[in-house]
Amino acid sequence: MRNINENTITPAVLASLAGCPDPRLLEVLSALVRHMHDFAREVRLTEAEWMAGIEFLTATGQKCDGKRQEFILLSDTLGLSTLNVALNHAKGSQATEATVFGPFHVPGAPEFELGDDISGGAAGEPLFVQATVRGPKGEPIANAKVDVWQADAEGFYDVQRAELSAAQGRGVLRTDASGRLWFRGVMPVAYPIPTDGPVGRMLNATARHPWRPAHVHFMIVAPGYETLITHVFSDGDRYLDSDAVFGVRSSLIGDFVRHPPGKAPDGSEQSTHFHVLDFDFVLELVVQTSRQGDARII
Ligand code: BEZ
Ligand code: FE
């Protein structure tokens, strides 16, 4: 393994992996090496560009902490997250489509009762969400765990506000015996993804805008069903066709109907305009793939 040149380097690295005991690791790493080497050959990568790439990835890692995930943001803005969702959640069934997870989910969000206000005092016009969670045959899914998170009327998630010591605009609820879910939040607005890090520099350098259309995030978990990670987007938003992270799907656009002050769906009197969103989620049954590659429902 001497005198390696630009063509012999790839088989040399692949040969060094030959003893890898994990077949999937071998497959993934070998493909990564092949594609990475082909990429460097294709663009004739200069040493300065190689170093700029190293510095960019270093800065991306340094921007990450418990509340900020710059690598997910990078994956999102380069379309890798949406590609990954597409590869793993093929459209074609009646199930609600999945979309990107994003960097603002926080595990262990506060638990709420149906009908509660999850806004935690966040600014915004009130939003009343009325949803159902069902299986593929229309069967209601009782006691599904529904994790909800959303930005406030200024386009910030609670984790982006250093002054907050408690959660805002996020919570965990459980569907009732009929698979119904209802809660109160605030009307989401379009917002820019964080641009104060390397990803922002990349967007700037490529003349891209950072905006996402208004949406509410949902993660729905129920035994026997595939976990659904998705958003519901607000119809009419100006960024539906240019989402900075490529996450919009037509089937995920909901009507956040704006009402004048008056009686809200929960019977409360609202002194400001308020919004009502009705949306029905459908979960897929868990499919287990056997070692022979055939799939069956478990
Ligand atoms: C979000 O919707 O929270 C999000 C998704 C991807 C990148 C940034 C933000
Ligand atoms: Fe979001």
Side-chain angles (χ1 to χ4, degrees):
M1 211 212 297
R2 292 185 185 177
N3 308 320
I4 294 238
N5 64 30
E6 76 169 65
N7 294 314
T8 56
I9 182 63
T10 305
V13 177
L14 294 177
S16 80
L17 298 174
C20 176
D22 179 336
R24 179 64 178 159
L25 178 60
L26 177 62
E27 180 183 4
V28 171
L29 209 49
S30 301
L32 179 66
V33 166
R34 279 189 279 105
H35 289 282
M36 215 166 43
H37 289 196
D38 284 345
F39 152 75
R41 280 184 285 260
E42 179 185 324
V43 302
R44 305 305 306 173
L45 192 67
T46 69
E47 287 171 305
E49 288 164 346
W50 176 85
M51 183 49 86
I54 296 287
E55 284 169 359
F56 180 84
L57 291 176
T58 303
T60 300
Q62 286 168 342
K63 197 73 188 166
C64 296
D65 59 27
K67 291 185 167 177
R68 176 78 178 255
Q69 232 309 348
E70 195 75 357
F71 272 113
I72 293 185
L73 206 56
L74 182 59
S75 165
D76 294 339
T77 49
L78 292 179
L80 182 60
S81 306
T82 287
L83 171 58
N84 192 240
V85 170
L87 288 170
N88 288 283
H89 302 272
K91 187 170 157 38
S93 70
Q94 295 304 307
T96 303
E97 291 189 89
T99 188
V100 295
F101 193 44
F104 294 126
H105 176 256
V106 177
E111 305 254 348
F112 288 98
E113 300 293 326
L114 291 168
D116 279 354
D117 182 354
I118 67 156
S119 71
E125 288 185 342
L127 167 67
F128 295 87
V129 176
Q130 313 181 122
T132 60
V133 180
R134 296 182 180 277
K137 295 208 169 84
E139 70 279 18
I141 304 179
N143 206 32
K145 182 181 176 205
V146 184
D147 213 321
V148 184
W149 63 107
Q150 66 154 125
D152 61 25
E154 289 172 353
F156 290 111
Y157 286 83
D158 54 0
V159 289
Q160 295 176 284
R161 294 190 179 277
E163 75 278 11
L164 286 180
S165 53
Q168 275 195 345
R170 69 178 70 245
V172 174
L173 302 108
R174 294 204 173 252
T175 53
D176 73 2
S178 308
R180 288 180 307 153
L181 168 82
W182 66 99
F183 63 92
R184 179 178 164 162
V186 293
M187 181 61 197
V189 296
Y191 65 83
I193 62 170
T195 53
D196 60 339
V199 170
R201 291 205 300 280
M202 187 265 294
L203 292 180
N204 206 26
T206 52
R208 285 174 55 183
H209 79 67
W211 289 86
R212 297 215 68 207
H215 59 271
V216 179
H217 294 255
F218 293 86
M219 175 160 64
I220 307 181
V221 181
Y225 295 89
E226 295 286 349
T227 293
L228 174 66
I229 296 174
T230 196
H231 317 350
V232 180
F233 294 93
S234 174
D235 199 6
D237 191 288
R238 63 182 290 203
Y239 297 109
L240 285 173
D241 289 310
S242 67
D243 180 9
V245 304
F246 311 98
V248 178
R249 319 214 51 93
S250 304
S251 67
L252 299 179
I253 298 174
D255 202 1
F256 291 65
V257 182
R258 190 165 188 250
H259 294 268
K263 205 184 263 303
D266 65 356
S268 64
E269 255 334 294
Q270 296 299 313
S271 57
T272 64
H273 278 80
F274 62 94
H275 302 251
V276 179
L277 170 69
D278 286 284
F279 202 84
D280 297 321
F281 296 96
V282 179
L283 305 194
E284 199 108 65
L285 290 169
V286 168
V287 174
Q288 205 177 48
T289 308
S290 74
R291 282 185 184 280
Q292 287 73 40
D294 54 323
R296 64 190 172 88
I297 292 168
I298 57 165

